[in-house]
């Protein structure tokens, strides 16, 4: 029976031909590793096969032969697949093809030299265990590289998102370069989503997220589908669709809408579409300014007691909205038309000629609407 050294000596002279054969088999079965026109990639494949075959024969001779060099190569192959943006499927297929080719070669060697069944069984056990070992090292390299890439990419995506929703425009060359590095396909238009709490599940590459409390948010290609929002599992507000330059505005409006929902000025529903509440958002976008407007435009009402002031405010708003039609105002306020006429006389005495001024009427109507909406906040 041949010893280890003798068996290895039988195998070594045929190794160059074996390497050529395995490389051709891999290229044929897994064309991605052939890479026509890319000599560097082909050399990496050949180098990996050469190292694997040489070390296998070394292990036949000495099971304690150092594996470090080959482990490093396999680790690098797995990492390379991750950096190319592929799965491990092709590399695992290459390992299977190479292992089968190697086993066919060993069987021919065994027949030619009449190796015993014990020797062949030992070689088979070594070969297939060895192939599993190499595949595990490549998988480890792949996982580590993916973790590194995802960590780097996640940071780039957060930076890109914060630039888009931050002050000032992002120069197009900077946007294109950062989007490419972050793996973000640049859409023509976007919509921001403000959320009460962090939202899942994991999102695709087209969605940018910053889910850190207290104000988690997302930036999605527009239009946003209702099916997407159904997955969020928390109360959200969807900003109006806008081009990339308006992403910060879309987020600002979405966050304002979420606050108005929490305060009662907007309906308490799972999804608030800002596009359906633009007037409310506009009227309540600046509370101190609304106060200034109300103080100035509605100052004549301050002379009345609270209860009278509220009734006159309701009547003034209805009068402005209904063109002064007492019958419509009476129906809207559920009072007698005579009551309406009495209140209107009080208003005309208080406001005078300002009720005849179109600009003043518009300002009063805006102030009254905003005050009515803000009443829900108290």
């Amino acid at each position: 029976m041949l010893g280890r050294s003798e068996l290895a000596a039988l195998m070594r002279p045929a190794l160059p031909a074996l390497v050529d054969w395995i490389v051709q088999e891999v290229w044929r079965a897994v064309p991605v590793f052939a890479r026509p026109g890319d000599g560097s990639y082909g050399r990496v494949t050949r180098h990996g096969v050469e190292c694997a075959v040489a070390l296998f024969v070394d292990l036949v001779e000495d099971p304690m032969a150092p594996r470090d060099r080959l482990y490093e190569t396999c680790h690098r192959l797995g990492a390379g697949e991750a950096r190319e943006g592929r799965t491990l499927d092709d590399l695992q297929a290459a390992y299977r093809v190479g292992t089968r080719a190697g086993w066919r070669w060993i069987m021919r060697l065994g027949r030619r030299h009449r190796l015993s069944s014990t020797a062949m069984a030992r070689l088979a056990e070594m070969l297939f265990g060895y192939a599993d070992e190499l595949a595990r090292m490549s998988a480890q390299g792949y996982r580590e590289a993916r973790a590194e890439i995802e960590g780097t990419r996640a940071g780039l995506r957060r930076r890109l998102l914060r630039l888009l929703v931050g002050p000032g425009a992002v120069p197009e060359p900077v946007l294109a370069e950062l989007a490419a590095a972050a793996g973000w396909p640049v859409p023509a238009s976007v919509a921001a989503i403000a959320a009460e709490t962090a939202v899942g599940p994991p999102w695709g590459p087209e969605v940018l997220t910053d889910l850190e409390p207290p104000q988690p948010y997302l930036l999605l290609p527009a239009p946003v589908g209702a099916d997407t929002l159904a997955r969020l599992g928390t109360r959200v507000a969807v900003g109006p669709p806008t081009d990339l330059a308006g992403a910060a505005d879309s987020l600002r409006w979405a966050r304002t809408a979420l606050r108005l929902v929490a305060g009662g000025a907007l309906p308490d529903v799972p999804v608030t579409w800002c596009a359906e509440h633009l007037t409310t958002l506009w009227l309540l976008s600046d509370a101190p300014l609304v106060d200034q407007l109300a103080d100035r435009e509605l100052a004549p009402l301050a002379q009345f007691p609270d209860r009278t002031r509220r009734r006159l405010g309701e009547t003034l708003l209805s009068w402005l909205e209904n063109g002064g039609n007492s019958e419509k105002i009476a129906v809207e306020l559920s009072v007698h038309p005579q009551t309406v006429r009495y209140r209107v006389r009080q208003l005309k005495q208080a406001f005078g000629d300002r009720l005849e001024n179109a600009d003043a009427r518009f300002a009063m109507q805006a102030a009254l609407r905003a005050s009515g909406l803000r009443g829900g906040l108290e």
Side-chain angles (χ1 to χ4, degrees):
M1 180 177 175
L2 294 176
R4 290 182 176 275
S5 297
E6 295 170 308
L7 187 54
L10 284 177
M11 301 171 77
R12 283 200 172 94
L15 292 189
L18 175 60
V19 168
D20 287 339
W21 184 38
I22 292 177
V23 168
Q24 292 301 321
E25 287 290 292
V26 169
W27 285 353
R28 180 188 60 78
V30 193
V32 69
F33 286 105
R35 287 285 184 91
D38 187 350
S40 62
Y41 203 84
R43 285 193 296 273
V44 169
T45 304
R46 178 174 289 275
H47 175 70
V49 174
E50 288 173 342
C51 289
V53 168
L55 179 59
F56 178 74
V57 176
D58 289 344
L59 292 172
V60 169
E61 183 174 10
D62 177 9
M64 302 305 293
R67 294 166 164 80
D68 296 351
R69 182 184 173 198
L70 182 60
Y71 281 180
E72 180 183 349
T73 298
C74 294
H75 189 281
R76 191 163 57 246
L77 286 171
E81 293 299 281
R83 294 190 178 100
E84 289 281 336
R86 296 197 300 269
T87 68
L88 272 176
D89 293 348
D90 289 332
L91 186 56
Q92 290 171 339
Y95 278 128
R96 290 193 295 270
V97 170
T99 302
R100 287 197 299 269
W103 177 239
R104 289 197 297 272
W105 178 78
I106 288 174
M107 287 193 294
R108 286 199 296 270
L109 181 77
R111 287 194 296 268
R112 186 162 56 248
H113 296 280
R114 294 179 178 165
L115 297 180
S116 67
S117 58
T118 302
M120 292 297 292
R122 188 171 74 238
L123 286 172
E125 183 179 359
M126 285 185 63
L127 176 65
F128 291 103
Y130 179 67
D132 287 344
E133 198 173 357
L134 301 188
R136 283 196 301 273
M137 290 307 301
S138 288
Q140 180 179 335
Y142 181 88
R143 288 192 301 271
E144 292 175 2
R146 286 295 303 169
E148 179 183 347
I149 291 167
E150 290 302 322
T152 302
R153 181 162 288 181
L156 288 172
R157 290 172 71 86
R158 280 193 299 272
R159 179 186 171 202
L160 173 60
L161 177 57
R162 288 167 184 172
L163 280 175
L164 288 170
V165 301
V170 183
E172 286 191 16
V174 174
L175 173 62
E177 181 179 352
L178 194 52
W184 186 58
V186 181
S189 60
V190 294
I193 295 180
E196 276 195 337
T197 59
V199 292
W203 298 94
E206 72 283 358
V207 180
L208 296 177
T209 65
D210 187 344
L211 303 180
E212 293 297 321
Q215 293 184 309
Y217 66 100
L218 308 89
L219 193 67
L220 282 73
V224 179
D227 56 336
T228 299
L229 300 173
R231 301 186 298 159
L232 298 180
T234 186
R235 184 186 286 113
V236 299
V238 183
T242 178
D243 59 18
L244 288 176
D249 290 328
S250 185
L251 178 60
R252 176 167 55 84
W253 293 326
R255 283 176 167 168
T256 298
L258 207 57
R259 288 196 299 271
L260 295 177
V261 170
L266 288 178
D268 185 2
V269 293
V271 178
T272 298
W273 299 88
C274 288
E276 298 175 358
H277 303 283
L278 294 180
T279 301
T280 300
L281 289 170
W282 169 57
L283 290 172
L284 300 184
S285 61
D286 191 328
L289 187 59
V290 168
D291 290 337
Q292 289 286 332
L293 180 67
D295 288 346
R296 191 186 75 173
E297 301 299 331
L298 305 179
L301 294 178
Q303 61 184 290
F304 298 100
D306 289 348
R307 184 176 179 183
T308 303
R309 184 171 63 251
R310 285 194 297 272
R311 288 177 175 176
L312 288 177
E314 291 174 354
T315 304
L316 177 58
L317 179 58
S318 183
W319 183 83
L320 291 166
E321 291 177 342
N322 290 291
N325 188 310
S326 297
E327 299 297 331
K328 290 183 178 180
I329 297 171
V331 170
E332 186 174 282
L333 300 182
S334 300
V335 298
H336 195 277
Q338 186 62 34
T339 301
V340 172
R341 285 189 283 270
Y342 171 70
R343 292 180 185 175
V344 170
R345 284 196 298 272
Q346 288 181 290
L347 291 170
K348 288 182 177 180
Q349 289 174 356
F351 284 88
D353 293 342
R354 294 182 62 212
L355 291 181
E356 306 303 322
N357 183 286
D359 290 339
R361 290 199 304 270
F362 175 80
M364 283 186 278
Q365 187 172 353
L368 287 164
R369 278 187 168 275
S371 297
L373 289 168
R374 292 185 66 201
L377 297 172
E378 297 174 358

